[in-house]
Amino acid sequence: MAREFTRVGVVGLGTMGAGIVEVFARNGIDVVAVEISAAALERGRATLTGSTDRAVAKGKLAEADRDALLSRVDFQVGLGALHSVDLVIEAVPEHLDLKQRIFAELDRVCKPEAILATNTSSLSVTEISVATTRPNQVIGIHFFNPAPIMKLVEVVRTVVTSADVVADVEALCTRLGKVDVTINDRAGFIANALLFGYLNHAVSLFEARYASREDIDAAMKLGCGLPMGPLALMDLIGLDTAYEILDTMYRRGGRDRRHAPVPLIKQMVTAGLLGRKSGRGFYTYERPGSPKVVPDEQTPVATKSSLADGARAIAKVGIVGSGTMATGIIEVFAKAGYEVISVTRGAEKSAKVCEAVKTSLNKGVVRGKLSETDRDAALGRVTWSATLDHLADVDLVVEAVVEELSVKKALFASLDEICKPGVVLATTTSSLPVIDVAMATQRPADVIGLHFFNPAPIMPLVEIVRTIRTSAETAATARAVCAVLGKTGVVCGDRSGFIVNALLFPYLNDAVKMLEASYSTADDIDHAMKLGCGYPMGPFELLDVVGLDVALAIQRELYLELREPGFAPAPLLEHLVTAGYLGRKSGRGFRDHTHL
Ligand SMILES: NC(=O)c1ccc[n+]([C@@H]2O[C@H](COP(=O)([O-])OP(=O)(O)OC[C@H]3O[C@@H](n4cnc5c(N)ncnc54)[C@H](O)[C@@H]3O)[C@@H](O)[C@H]2O)c1
């Protein structure tokens, strides 16, 4: 018969423990909440009441339910209070020796049939279990932060965990309204194994001053639809906890350099900058524990006039190309009030692009997002041409031709001859070095990358790529133009993948490697990232949308430029591409789309 869990214990009421207490108490289960000292206990109690009060204020919890919830929690100092519970979840700091000591003590204190669970993110559940005389009743129950909100629980079984213990814990997760994935004991399990390489990489970009914290976070939120950027997420997780997780994953997970904690993390931990819980991490918060970011010395100052920081006035814009990106970009500029000259390689192509822009604008009218007058005005601002000579007096050129360096270089050399001095020359390349294009001209200081995302009229992000020769004025102009377009422009250096692709594709590649290693299924991995981390799509869903060939090409570029062994494309990805399984566009990728 399945176990009844009427009373559970939670050890450690920090970031995770306090949330886990709330999850149980909300679902009618009595909780003994244990801390190491009276002061820590009060902190834990305050976290719980703060969270439930916020839920009441937001109308998500009735006052009476909050009171009932809190009345189910018995706050105690010391493990002795756990003698009568059916299950204990430990959520103390991520140190093996501490956890082993606690489990040895729990083994002495708790009744023989009690299940002992750890919320560890990266340590070996097996190593923790052998500190007890009942390793078959030890299991990992890995909640996600914030525990009351995130739906996923990773249930981690060791080689000795009893099958009935696993089944009972799975049933408990369902009772708590969670979705569980059950997996074996491997460093980082599913979600953290895929998440922490990415977080560490984001910190390294910040440490190298490749982009600002705001820009790195905005890029991942707006470019990938993530609920928060990587640096804000590090603050939420806690830098001390993140450090320990990375360190353990590095040691347990095959010494992948990408998990070696970036030195800045250690420095911040030493300086007491632990993230939200201490009131300051990558960002500064209103007070310790508060989710509200307040300005500090790194907060960008909004300049009143964009011309103040040297931006040049832009009225007339040339857009070269006739593909998807060029078409979208023409629409974006025309709608924002710029005079646009579209240059393609022939009248036929121009007619096609013109049709596509009209169709898209008409859709806007049908959806009520654009008036007919505004549509006509936007179209009226575009001149269609097939000769570059018409770009002699534009203020900005945006190049969106085929992704081939020789073609782009030849085009920039021509623009250099044709355009007036002081023009900003921008490329929309997503993978080529902008400096190569810049050096095809005699005016590299005026050349910059403007990496729009597809579909350009919808995606709110533009990566502004500065080369080592780009002038401050050119960058300021690009920023000002993005603001007029209603886009968020993030400034980054001229490195393969810029911000978004550099952070996104290695994670996707890691997911493929995890699947290849048969650690989990594509469905469970997709679930884990959506329900544990709030991603809009799981990695395999996304790969099928992006195209496996595109993903492989980007991953190869990253690997070639950075020579990071961990970036080597997953052999399974290469095989699928060779086999013609390219994702939705070919009907099959990781999933078969022909029947969907
Ligand atoms: N932070 C996250 O996002 C996250 C997510 C999932 C899992 N985890 C895991 O959860 C565990 C806890 O992490 P956290 O971020 O909540 O840490 P935390 O530092 O916020 O909280 C740990 C708490 O444990 C208490 N504690 C320390 N020694 C104790 C003892 N002997 N007895 C009782 N309480 C004791 C501390 O006082 C503190 O309140 C770790 O294993 C971590 O890897 C963390």
Side-chain angles (χ1 to χ4, degrees):
M1 226 185 60
R3 283 178 181 81
E4 266 297 309
F5 296 99
T6 49
R7 203 173 161 77
V8 305
V10 175
V11 183
L13 307 178
T15 308
M16 288 310 292
I20 296 171
V21 170
E22 184 176 334
V23 171
F24 281 109
R26 243 183 202 234
N27 286 282
I29 298 173
D30 289 334
V31 187
V32 182
V34 168
E35 258 293 351
I36 193 168
S37 66
L41 194 65
E42 280 322 304
R43 252 199 330 268
R45 192 199 298 267
T47 308
L48 178 64
T49 48
S51 167
T52 50
D53 286 351
R54 275 197 300 277
V56 170
K58 284 187 193 153
K60 291 192 173 163
L61 186 69
E63 267 184 47
D65 290 342
R66 177 205 41 207
D67 297 345
L69 184 163
L70 294 175
S71 73
R72 286 187 203 108
V73 186
D74 176 13
F75 290 94
Q76 296 285 346
V77 172
L79 301 179
L82 297 169
H83 52 85
S84 65
V85 300
D86 308 308
L87 164 83
V88 181
I89 299 196
E90 158 281 310
V92 303
E94 191 78 340
H95 297 294
L96 182 62
D97 51 347
L98 172 64
K99 289 192 193 267
Q100 283 185 323
R101 253 188 291 127
I102 287 187
F103 270 71
E105 180 69 19
L106 289 173
D107 191 31
R108 275 191 292 278
V109 169
C110 295
K111 50 188 193 189
E113 62 276 23
I115 293 175
L116 307 181
T118 172
N119 184 51
T120 182
S121 310
S122 57
L123 295 168
S124 160
V125 179
T126 316
E127 281 185 70
I128 295 171
S129 77
V130 294
T132 73
T133 59
R134 53 177 114 175
N136 57 333
Q137 283 162 239
V138 175
I139 193 164
I141 305 184
H142 184 231
F143 285 86
F144 285 77
N145 190 1
I149 293 171
M150 301 315 285
K151 279 248 170 272
L152 184 76
V153 173
E154 288 173 324
V155 174
V156 187
R157 62 172 168 231
T158 73
V159 285
V160 291
T161 312
S162 305
D164 60 302
V165 169
V166 175
D168 291 344
V169 166
E170 287 171 342
L172 174 65
C173 290
T174 308
R175 180 176 163 196
L176 297 175
K178 301 288 184 193
V179 175
D180 58 281
V181 294
T182 300
I183 39 182
N184 295 333
D185 186 15
R186 201 178 101 164
F189 316 128
I190 298 177
N192 284 349
L194 297 181
L195 184 68
F196 272 83
Y198 149 72
L199 293 178
N200 205 34
H201 190 185
V203 177
S204 77
L205 295 184
F206 174 73
E207 187 187 54
R209 295 172 195 273
Y210 177 68
S212 71
R213 60 183 186 188
E214 282 84 1
D215 282 359
I216 292 172
D217 280 351
M220 296 315 284
K221 273 173 71 173
L222 303 178
C224 305
L226 305 188
M228 60 199 322
L231 302 176
L233 180 55
M234 287 288 286
D235 277 358
L236 175 68
I237 292 169
L239 270 76
D240 49 348
T241 302
Y243 178 86
E244 294 302 333
I245 293 173
L246 281 165
D247 192 48
T248 315
M249 286 186 47
Y250 175 74
R251 282 186 281 108
R252 279 187 73 205
R255 299 193 179 256
D256 183 340
R257 281 203 319 227
R258 290 178 306 150
H259 292 141
V262 169
L264 179 64
I265 303 176
K266 181 75 182 195
Q267 290 160 27
M268 290 174 72
V269 171
T270 308
L273 309 179
L274 305 183
R276 276 193 199 182
K277 61 183 161 190
S278 71
R280 188 158 177 183
F282 287 101
Y283 295 91
T284 303
Y285 298 85
E286 201 170 34
R287 65 191 130 69
S290 162
K292 187 160 181 248
V293 173
V294 294
D296 59 19
E297 67 282 358
Q298 282 182 53
T299 306
V301 210
T303 40
K304 283 207 184 65
S305 143
S306 57
L307 299 182
D309 54 359
R312 296 176 195 154
I314 304 287
K316 207 167 177 182
V317 181
I319 297 167
V320 188
S322 51
T324 317
M325 289 314 288
T327 308
I329 294 168
I330 292 169
E331 180 182 336
V332 168
F333 276 91
K335 270 202 301 209
Y338 289 99
E339 192 183 331
V340 174
I341 300 180
S342 153
V343 180
T344 73
R345 279 171 300 157
E348 217 174 285
K349 284 202 187 308
S350 288
K352 255 183 152 174
V353 178
C354 178
E355 256 332 287
V357 173
K358 269 190 197 156
T359 310
S360 176
L361 287 171
N362 279 334
K363 271 193 202 151
V365 174
V366 171
R367 290 193 190 129
K369 292 190 172 164
L370 192 71
S371 71
E372 289 188 8
T373 326
D374 287 347
R375 173 200 58 194
D376 296 343
L379 276 172
R381 282 185 207 110
V382 188
T383 310
W384 306 96
S385 161
T387 49
L388 288 175
D389 292 339
H390 286 143
L391 301 181
D393 68 341
V394 296
D395 308 307
L396 163 70
V397 179
V398 180
E399 164 279 310
V401 303
V402 66
E403 190 76 344
E404 256 173 56
L405 188 57
S406 57
V407 177
K408 290 195 193 274
K409 278 168 85 165
L411 175 62
F412 271 74
S414 303
L415 291 173
D416 191 23
E417 283 172 14
I418 294 165
C419 296
K420 67 183 181 189
V423 174
V424 170
L425 300 176
T427 170
T428 55
T429 182
S430 37
S431 59
L432 301 169
V434 179
I435 189 68
D436 275 331
V437 178
M439 295 312 286
T441 73
Q442 302 297 313
R443 42 174 123 178
D446 296 331
V447 179
I448 197 157
L450 280 181
H451 184 223
F452 285 82
F453 288 72
N454 189 17
I458 292 171
M459 294 298 284
L461 183 73
V462 177
E463 286 174 320
I464 301 172
V465 187
R466 288 183 75 156
T467 76
I468 42 173
R469 300 280 302 259
T470 306
S471 72
E473 273 177 25
T474 303
T477 309
R479 259 198 301 260
V481 166
C482 286
V484 175
L485 297 178
K487 305 283 184 198
T488 299
V490 296
V491 181
C492 61
D494 184 20
R495 264 176 38 171
S496 180
F498 310 137
I499 301 175
V500 173
N501 288 352
L503 290 175
L504 178 67
F505 282 88
Y507 142 74
L508 296 175
N509 193 49
D510 285 347
V512 180
K513 288 184 186 167
M514 182 178 275
L515 182 70
E516 198 169 20
S518 300
Y519 179 60
S520 187
T521 63
D523 287 351
D524 276 357
I525 296 172
D526 276 353
H527 259 123
M529 297 317 289
K530 285 197 288 190
L531 302 177
C533 305
Y535 282 28
M537 280 191 210
F540 298 105
E541 278 175 276
L542 185 57
L543 279 162
D544 274 5
V545 170
V546 168
L548 275 58
D549 50 341
V550 174
L552 179 61
I554 294 175
Q555 192 59 29
R556 276 196 183 131
E557 288 281 346
L558 288 170
Y559 179 55
L560 284 177
E561 179 163 304
L562 301 167
R563 308 289 161 123
E564 168 57 60
F567 286 172
L572 176 62
L573 186 61
E574 293 184 326
H575 290 186
L576 287 165
V577 172
T578 308
Y581 294 164
L582 306 182
R584 288 196 181 196
K585 61 185 167 191
S586 72
R588 184 166 172 179
F590 285 96
R591 294 192 175 91
D592 186 349
H593 298 278
T594 50
H595 306 297
L596 300 178

